[in-house]
Amino acid sequence: MDLWRAATPGKERTESGSDEAKREGTGDKADCEWNEVLREVRVTQTGAQILLGFLIGIVFTPRYTQISPADRTLYQVTVVLGALATGTPIAPRRWPSTASWSDTR
């Protein structure tokens, strides 16, 4: 039996490696959940970009000049919120690259 374990390097950790397997299992689960969250954010970001594109396109229609000042203010607030909704999912990806750039002088 000892010869078999010596010939197969990954098999000697069966008794002592059970804790490692549990830790790897929870790490794998966390990675899987994180990947699922990233997938959902990407879908949401695409939808926000499409809606922002439609909102920006409204300015170029002839009826935009005919709306009331209250509606124009509401439109501008909606465009700003749409831009924030589009930019918020991008921020976590940009932050580490800017932070690591400023730390390495």
Side-chain angles (χ1 to χ4, degrees):
M1 190 74 162
D2 292 333
L3 292 175
W4 181 76
R5 286 187 184 171
T8 54
K11 298 294 182 184
E12 70 266 9
R13 292 184 286 151
T14 55
E15 294 89 20
S16 64
S18 61
D19 292 335
E20 289 180 20
K22 288 179 186 176
R23 279 183 271 159
E24 287 176 5
T26 56
D28 290 342
K29 183 179 178 184
D31 287 343
C32 183
E33 290 175 358
W34 179 249
N35 287 334
E36 183 67 28
V37 168
L38 286 178
R39 230 176 286 130
E40 291 175 8
V41 166
R42 288 181 186 128
V43 169
T44 305
Q45 182 181 8
T46 303
Q49 288 173 344
I50 291 170
L51 289 175
L52 183 63
F54 282 120
L55 282 172
I56 291 173
I58 290 174
V59 176
F60 300 106
T61 62
R63 289 196 58 172
Y64 181 75
T65 57
Q66 299 170 359
I67 62 173
S68 68
D71 288 339
R72 192 169 294 178
T73 303
L74 179 65
Y75 167 75
Q76 291 168 349
V77 167
T78 306
V79 169
V80 169
L81 290 175
L84 288 173
T86 303
T88 302
I90 299 171
R93 282 186 259 157
R94 294 292 174 206
W95 175 256
S97 63
T98 57
S100 64
W101 178 77
S102 64
D103 290 341
T104 57
R105 294 180 193 194

mmCIF file of all heavy atoms in Angstrom, residues 5 16 19 23 28 35 51 54-55 59 63 79 83 86-87 95 100:
data_model
loop_
_atom_site.group_PDB
_atom_site.id
_atom_site.type_symbol
_atom_site.label_atom_id
_atom_site.label_comp_id
_atom_site.label_asym_id
_atom_site.label_seq_id
_atom_site.Cartn_x
_atom_site.Cartn_y
_atom_site.Cartn_z
ATOM 1 N N ARG A 5 1.006 4.557 -2.760
ATOM 2 C CA ARG A 5 0.915 5.975 -2.408
ATOM 3 C C ARG A 5 2.147 6.738 -2.853
ATOM 4 O O ARG A 5 2.048 7.887 -3.259
ATOM 5 C CB ARG A 5 0.723 6.147 -0.900
ATOM 6 C CG ARG A 5 -0.652 5.792 -0.467
ATOM 7 C CD ARG A 5 -0.851 6.132 0.972
ATOM 8 N NE ARG A 5 -2.173 5.688 1.383
ATOM 9 C CZ ARG A 5 -2.588 5.686 2.610
ATOM 10 N NH1 ARG A 5 -1.793 6.094 3.574
ATOM 11 N NH2 ARG A 5 -3.795 5.279 2.908
ATOM 12 N N SER A 16 -5.239 13.406 5.469
ATOM 13 C CA SER A 16 -4.960 14.758 5.956
ATOM 14 C C SER A 16 -5.513 15.827 5.021
ATOM 15 O O SER A 16 -5.662 16.963 5.418
ATOM 16 C CB SER A 16 -3.459 14.959 6.122
ATOM 17 O OG SER A 16 -2.827 14.862 4.858
ATOM 18 N N ASP A 19 -9.579 18.269 5.059
ATOM 19 C CA ASP A 19 -9.842 19.660 5.417
ATOM 20 C C ASP A 19 -9.535 20.586 4.246
ATOM 21 O O ASP A 19 -10.253 21.553 4.002
ATOM 22 C CB ASP A 19 -9.016 20.073 6.636
ATOM 23 C CG ASP A 19 -9.479 19.361 7.900
ATOM 24 O OD1 ASP A 19 -10.659 18.960 7.948
ATOM 25 O OD2 ASP A 19 -8.652 19.215 8.816
ATOM 26 N N ARG A 23 -12.040 23.191 2.289
ATOM 27 C CA ARG A 23 -11.727 24.595 2.044
ATOM 28 C C ARG A 23 -11.755 24.911 0.564
ATOM 29 O O ARG A 23 -12.217 25.959 0.161
ATOM 30 C CB ARG A 23 -10.383 24.955 2.660
ATOM 31 C CG ARG A 23 -10.496 25.225 4.147
ATOM 32 C CD ARG A 23 -9.190 25.654 4.708
ATOM 33 N NE ARG A 23 -8.532 24.400 5.104
ATOM 34 C CZ ARG A 23 -7.252 24.246 5.283
ATOM 35 N NH1 ARG A 23 -6.440 25.235 5.095
ATOM 36 N NH2 ARG A 23 -6.751 23.095 5.642
ATOM 37 N N ASP A 28 -14.353 27.175 -4.132
ATOM 38 C CA ASP A 28 -14.952 26.964 -5.444
ATOM 39 C C ASP A 28 -16.376 27.489 -5.479
ATOM 40 O O ASP A 28 -16.815 28.069 -6.462
ATOM 41 C CB ASP A 28 -14.940 25.487 -5.818
ATOM 42 C CG ASP A 28 -13.534 24.974 -6.096
ATOM 43 O OD1 ASP A 28 -12.636 25.813 -6.340
ATOM 44 O OD2 ASP A 28 -13.332 23.750 -6.063
ATOM 45 N N ASN A 35 -18.751 34.576 -9.967
ATOM 46 C CA ASN A 35 -18.894 34.578 -11.422
ATOM 47 C C ASN A 35 -20.346 34.792 -11.827
ATOM 48 O O ASN A 35 -20.618 35.466 -12.827
ATOM 49 C CB ASN A 35 -18.361 33.268 -12.011
ATOM 50 C CG ASN A 35 -16.854 33.213 -11.975
ATOM 51 O OD1 ASN A 35 -16.176 34.236 -11.974
ATOM 52 N ND2 ASN A 35 -16.315 32.011 -11.929
ATOM 53 N N LEU A 51 -30.664 51.604 -22.706
ATOM 54 C CA LEU A 51 -31.617 52.625 -22.261
ATOM 55 C C LEU A 51 -31.009 54.018 -22.298
ATOM 56 O O LEU A 51 -31.671 54.989 -22.686
ATOM 57 C CB LEU A 51 -32.109 52.298 -20.853
ATOM 58 C CG LEU A 51 -33.042 51.093 -20.741
ATOM 59 C CD1 LEU A 51 -33.349 50.802 -19.284
ATOM 60 C CD2 LEU A 51 -34.315 51.336 -21.518
ATOM 61 N N PHE A 54 -31.088 55.324 -25.837
ATOM 62 C CA PHE A 54 -32.400 55.845 -26.208
ATOM 63 C C PHE A 54 -32.662 57.199 -25.557
ATOM 64 O O PHE A 54 -33.226 58.108 -26.178
ATOM 65 C CB PHE A 54 -33.501 54.861 -25.835
ATOM 66 C CG PHE A 54 -33.625 53.709 -26.784
ATOM 67 C CD1 PHE A 54 -33.455 52.414 -26.337
ATOM 68 C CD2 PHE A 54 -33.910 53.918 -28.133
ATOM 69 C CE1 PHE A 54 -33.572 51.348 -27.204
ATOM 70 C CE2 PHE A 54 -34.025 52.852 -29.010
ATOM 71 C CZ PHE A 54 -33.850 51.564 -28.552
ATOM 72 N N LEU A 55 -32.263 57.345 -24.302
ATOM 73 C CA LEU A 55 -32.466 58.632 -23.622
ATOM 74 C C LEU A 55 -31.686 59.755 -24.299
ATOM 75 O O LEU A 55 -32.185 60.864 -24.454
ATOM 76 C CB LEU A 55 -32.046 58.525 -22.157
ATOM 77 C CG LEU A 55 -33.023 57.835 -21.215
ATOM 78 C CD1 LEU A 55 -32.383 57.640 -19.844
ATOM 79 C CD2 LEU A 55 -34.297 58.643 -21.094
ATOM 80 N N VAL A 59 -32.966 63.824 -27.382
ATOM 81 C CA VAL A 59 -32.579 65.230 -27.589
ATOM 82 C C VAL A 59 -32.606 65.593 -29.069
ATOM 83 O O VAL A 59 -32.895 66.735 -29.429
ATOM 84 C CB VAL A 59 -31.168 65.467 -27.002
ATOM 85 C CG1 VAL A 59 -30.691 66.872 -27.285
ATOM 86 C CG2 VAL A 59 -31.171 65.213 -25.523
ATOM 87 N N ARG A 63 -39.541 67.037 -31.239
ATOM 88 C CA ARG A 63 -40.475 67.320 -30.138
ATOM 89 C C ARG A 63 -39.761 67.692 -28.846
ATOM 90 O O ARG A 63 -40.400 68.167 -27.914
ATOM 91 C CB ARG A 63 -41.362 66.102 -29.893
ATOM 92 C CG ARG A 63 -42.357 65.905 -31.037
ATOM 93 C CD ARG A 63 -43.445 64.997 -30.668
ATOM 94 N NE ARG A 63 -44.139 65.505 -29.489
ATOM 95 C CZ ARG A 63 -45.245 64.989 -29.026
ATOM 96 N NH1 ARG A 63 -45.783 63.967 -29.634
ATOM 97 N NH2 ARG A 63 -45.815 65.462 -27.943
ATOM 98 N N VAL A 79 -31.370 61.274 -17.440
ATOM 99 C CA VAL A 79 -30.133 61.003 -18.180
ATOM 100 C C VAL A 79 -28.954 60.860 -17.212
ATOM 101 O O VAL A 79 -28.121 59.958 -17.359
ATOM 102 C CB VAL A 79 -29.858 62.103 -19.227
ATOM 103 C CG1 VAL A 79 -28.459 61.984 -19.800
ATOM 104 C CG2 VAL A 79 -30.874 62.019 -20.343
ATOM 105 N N ALA A 83 -26.758 57.553 -16.708
ATOM 106 C CA ALA A 83 -25.299 57.523 -16.837
ATOM 107 C C ALA A 83 -24.650 56.914 -15.597
ATOM 108 O O ALA A 83 -23.682 56.147 -15.700
ATOM 109 C CB ALA A 83 -24.770 58.934 -17.067
ATOM 110 N N THR A 86 -25.077 53.230 -15.732
ATOM 111 C CA THR A 86 -24.167 52.624 -16.699
ATOM 112 C C THR A 86 -22.741 52.604 -16.161
ATOM 113 O O THR A 86 -22.010 51.630 -16.361
ATOM 114 C CB THR A 86 -24.211 53.397 -18.027
ATOM 115 O OG1 THR A 86 -25.554 53.407 -18.498
ATOM 116 C CG2 THR A 86 -23.331 52.761 -19.069
ATOM 117 N N GLY A 87 -22.338 53.640 -15.461
ATOM 118 C CA GLY A 87 -20.960 53.747 -14.983
ATOM 119 C C GLY A 87 -20.664 52.994 -13.704
ATOM 120 O O GLY A 87 -19.529 52.605 -13.453
ATOM 121 N N TRP A 95 -11.209 50.524 -10.599
ATOM 122 C CA TRP A 95 -10.564 50.927 -9.348
ATOM 123 C C TRP A 95 -9.253 50.205 -9.098
ATOM 124 O O TRP A 95 -8.255 50.857 -8.814
ATOM 125 C CB TRP A 95 -11.528 50.747 -8.185
ATOM 126 C CG TRP A 95 -10.876 51.034 -6.875
ATOM 127 C CD1 TRP A 95 -10.454 50.142 -5.954
ATOM 128 C CD2 TRP A 95 -10.513 52.311 -6.358
ATOM 129 N NE1 TRP A 95 -9.881 50.767 -4.891
ATOM 130 C CE2 TRP A 95 -9.895 52.109 -5.121
ATOM 131 C CE3 TRP A 95 -10.664 53.603 -6.835
ATOM 132 C CZ2 TRP A 95 -9.425 53.158 -4.344
ATOM 133 C CZ3 TRP A 95 -10.199 54.646 -6.062
ATOM 134 C CH2 TRP A 95 -9.587 54.414 -4.833
ATOM 135 N N SER A 100 -3.497 50.376 -8.308
ATOM 136 C CA SER A 100 -2.184 49.749 -8.439
ATOM 137 C C SER A 100 -1.230 50.640 -9.229
ATOM 138 O O SER A 100 -0.044 50.632 -9.003
ATOM 139 C CB SER A 100 -2.307 48.386 -9.100
ATOM 140 O OG SER A 100 -2.797 48.525 -10.419
#
